[in-house]
Amino acid sequence: MKINPVKGTHDIYSSTANDALDLEYTFNVMAMAYGYEPIVIPTLEHTNLFQRSVGESSDIVTKEMYTFLDKAGRSLTLRPEFTAGIMRAVVTNKLYVDNIPLRLFYNGSCFRYERPQAGRYREFHQMGVELIAPTNPGLDAEVIALGFAYLKEIGLNPILKINYLPAKDSREKYLKDLKAFFEPNLDNMCEDCKRRYEINPLRILDCKVPSDREIIEKAPSISTYLSDDDLKHYNEIKRFLGNIGISYEEDDRLVRGLDYYSGIVFEYYFDTDNSDFAGIALGGGGHYDGLLQELDGPSEYSGVGLSFGLERLISAYQNADTEYKGTGMRPIFYMAPLSEEGLDLAHTLATFLHENSVHTILNYEIKSLKSFLKSANKKQARNIIIIGEDELKKGFVTIKNLESGVQHEVAIDDFPEIVFSILKENYEDDDGEIQSLDITKGN
Ligand code: AMP
């Protein structure tokens, strides 16, 4: 019986799985360079965690959660995003004690019952960071810069959009004025907007229905509602970004799909002529107050986080003209033993290479050289190591570069040294050098 994958889920395999691994690996290395520590949290949480944090007015909570009763009748939900679960873990384990600013990063799958379409899955993967500390514009800017630097590192030209959501009184006033603006238009707007109007009119700004967008364009701009404190903080963030040469577009309609944000919000897009990526965010994030407190944690800390969607990064990466090379799936060496005795030596050498993390294939079989060459080429191996009668007699192996066709006889004693010089030749280039520091950047 053939069993199909669940609607909205997908398998990632072959070279795409390799791209996924590279993209995640680079993200993790980069997050660690900025001082972030890994955290692994459960996929399952109590449903009310998301109701209390992501928010009763968000599409995620109202329409998209995978919620079910377990055998003991508890309402559980497969995580639709990471921030809420991480805040829960921070409170549960008191991770804030003696560890502020707390910098955390994560990778894993999320579940949203959305209509599957290009770039939208029901199970997808996110990677991101959360930074918990007293509010500080430098820390807000750090998270934005980390995401920007990551996209540049993997060879995608980022477009960064930012906006600032005012806090408390100014926000209340804005919401009141938004309601007054939308009220006479409401009959002509979609059902979701009618619901958002009642629960959180800010969310209307996020509506994608074209006829609603025409109305939304005329709504009052959030930027005129920022208090002096908001403006000061926002300007500081922009100054920090400018100092390190990060360019951004301000978009006063950017509100993001989760209720908890207040302060800076941002999204990253892929700068490309390919219209498939128009309006599709690769990632985004923002600042939030009160989330820890809402979960019975300390009130003095706020947070700022970002998350990227792995599937969207993969497709942008595969469509980009990028020089980033990742870790690569091509074997560096393919072992070709032509006799039983040759197999023993191949085994010893392959073990040495494996233990030194050098991508090497040995299939524990003896074949003709012709047939080994065919298999090695099929795997796109860079070099083949031939161990025949002649080689064994003289105590060497033949290493043939399958790209240039050049081959060398290498004495067994010299093998480790030669291997490392091959690796050096192939994998170290100017990209590996540390660039000089240009402190005039952005000024
Ligand atoms: P959000 O948590 O909604 O801010 O989403 C952060 C990122 O996750 C987005 O920018 C997307 O890259 C990705 N993402 C969100 N929803 C989906 C989905 N249904 N399928 C694939 N990627 C998604």
Side-chain angles (χ1 to χ4, degrees):
M1 186 178 66
K2 186 175 168 225
I3 299 180
N4 292 321
V6 173
K7 188 172 177 190
T9 68
H10 64 135
D11 303 309
I12 303 179
Y13 52 88
S14 300
S15 63
T16 302
N18 195 59
D19 290 342
L21 190 75
D22 281 340
L23 293 171
E24 262 181 356
Y25 175 81
T26 304
F27 182 79
N28 295 347
V29 168
M30 202 130 195
M32 285 190 281
Y34 279 75
Y36 290 73
E37 298 166 26
I39 184 163
V40 180
I41 56 165
T43 316
L44 273 180
E45 298 279 357
H46 291 289
T47 302
N48 62 2
L49 170 68
F50 302 111
Q51 288 164 337
R52 277 167 67 178
S53 55
V54 177
E56 298 283 9
S57 76
S58 69
D59 283 353
I60 294 178
V61 169
T62 50
K63 299 195 295 193
E64 297 170 1
M65 293 208 302
Y66 275 89
T67 297
F68 58 94
L69 295 180
D70 74 359
K71 290 190 173 151
R74 303 176 193 95
S75 178
L76 302 182
T77 294
L78 291 173
R79 67 177 170 228
E81 58 102 57
F82 271 87
T83 307
I86 292 183
M87 291 309 114
R88 200 261 321 124
V90 167
V91 175
T92 305
N93 304 291
K94 294 196 171 55
L95 300 183
Y96 46 83
V97 175
D98 295 333
N99 203 12
I100 296 290
L102 177 62
R103 290 181 168 89
L104 301 168
F105 75 92
Y106 59 83
N107 309 151
S109 45
C110 294
F111 303 81
R112 294 184 193 172
Y113 199 86
E114 294 192 80
R115 202 162 59 78
Q117 49 185 294
R120 215 166 269 289
Y121 298 93
R122 289 185 173 168
E123 180 174 1
F124 60 98
H125 299 81
Q126 283 193 342
M127 48 207 200
V129 304
E130 303 294 341
L131 201 175
I132 293 125
T135 299
N136 177 329
L139 296 177
D140 286 347
E142 173 182 295
V143 171
I144 300 174
L146 163 54
F148 197 87
Y150 170 64
L151 292 175
K152 282 204 334 205
E153 176 66 18
I154 59 173
L156 300 183
N157 255 351
I159 295 178
L160 170 63
K161 293 192 180 179
I162 62 173
N163 191 20
Y164 199 94
L165 308 180
K168 301 179 212 94
D169 296 350
S170 333
R171 189 172 180 125
E172 288 308 311
K173 172 135 191 6
Y174 182 59
L175 293 182
K176 203 163 142 258
D177 290 357
L178 264 190
K179 276 192 118 160
F181 170 82
F182 283 119
E183 202 203 331
N185 295 297
L186 211 55
D187 283 347
N188 302 322
M189 298 184 80
C190 72
E191 289 309 308
D192 281 337
C193 281
K194 288 178 185 141
R195 185 173 46 81
R196 291 166 182 148
Y197 175 86
E198 295 302 332
I199 317 174
N200 181 358
L202 199 61
R203 304 235 36 78
I204 297 179
L205 301 181
D206 210 24
C207 180
K208 304 282 183 289
V209 176
S211 55
D212 289 357
R213 288 242 54 97
E214 282 173 30
I215 301 170
I216 292 165
E217 291 312 319
K218 300 193 189 90
S221 167
I222 207 164
S223 59
T224 55
Y225 289 76
L226 300 183
S227 67
D228 288 348
D229 278 352
D230 288 332
L231 275 174
K232 192 165 158 238
H233 192 87
Y234 191 21
N235 285 332
E236 273 294 278
I237 295 171
K238 291 191 276 188
R239 193 177 65 78
F240 274 112
L241 294 177
N243 276 347
I244 51 169
I246 292 185
S247 51
Y248 50 81
E249 291 172 18
E250 292 183 63
D251 176 355
D252 64 1
R253 296 293 187 262
L254 178 66
V255 289
R256 313 263 307 123
L258 307 106
D259 279 1
Y260 48 66
Y261 291 120
S262 68
I264 190 84
V265 286
F266 52 91
E267 276 179 347
Y268 305 94
Y269 291 82
F270 175 29
D271 189 3
T272 170
D273 295 336
N274 185 337
S275 59
D276 289 353
F277 293 94
I280 303 269
L282 298 176
H287 176 101
Y288 45 89
D289 293 313
L291 206 48
L292 281 177
Q293 195 180 4
E294 176 68 31
L295 303 173
D296 283 343
S299 59
E300 63 269 43
Y301 306 131
S302 57
V304 51
L306 74 78
S307 67
F308 284 111
L310 181 63
E311 284 75 1
R312 294 194 191 171
L313 286 177
I314 294 172
S315 65
Y317 173 61
Q318 292 179 340
N319 277 281
D321 187 16
T322 164
E323 283 175 14
Y324 168 80
K325 288 200 196 68
T327 51
M329 199 173 55
R330 297 175 58 187
I332 296 171
F333 294 111
Y334 200 98
M335 306 301 293
L338 307 181
S339 67
E340 286 293 343
E341 216 184 318
L343 176 58
D344 282 347
L345 179 57
H347 189 198
T348 306
L349 299 181
T351 303
F352 167 80
L353 294 168
H354 289 155
E355 286 176 355
N356 282 285
S357 307
V358 182
H359 188 163
T360 303
I361 303 282
L362 168 65
N363 287 334
Y364 305 91
E365 54 187 3
I366 296 152
K367 299 199 295 192
S368 68
L369 181 56
K370 196 170 157 213
S371 146
F372 272 128
L373 280 169
K374 203 168 151 207
S375 318
N377 282 322
K378 192 156 173 246
K379 278 273 175 199
Q380 294 186 300
R382 294 177 199 273
N383 303 281
I384 189 162
I385 300 184
I386 305 161
I387 311 177
E389 288 301 313
D390 227 24
E391 279 86 357
L392 283 171
K393 239 186 270 159
K394 296 191 206 150
F396 63 76
V397 296
T398 300
I399 303 184
K400 179 172 181 174
N401 183 317
L402 292 172
E403 280 155 12
S404 65
V406 175
Q407 63 181 56
H408 295 287
E409 294 180 348
V410 176
I412 308 293
D413 287 347
D414 298 337
F415 185 76
E417 205 186 315
I418 299 292
V419 163
F420 289 112
S421 70
I422 291 176
L423 293 178
K424 210 160 180 267
E425 236 168 67
N426 275 270
Y427 305 103
E428 264 184 25
D429 53 24
D430 290 345
D431 288 342
E433 278 177 23
I434 295 175
Q435 291 161 11
S436 61
L437 182 63
D438 177 7
I439 54 167
T440 59
K441 221 181 201 177
N443 289 332

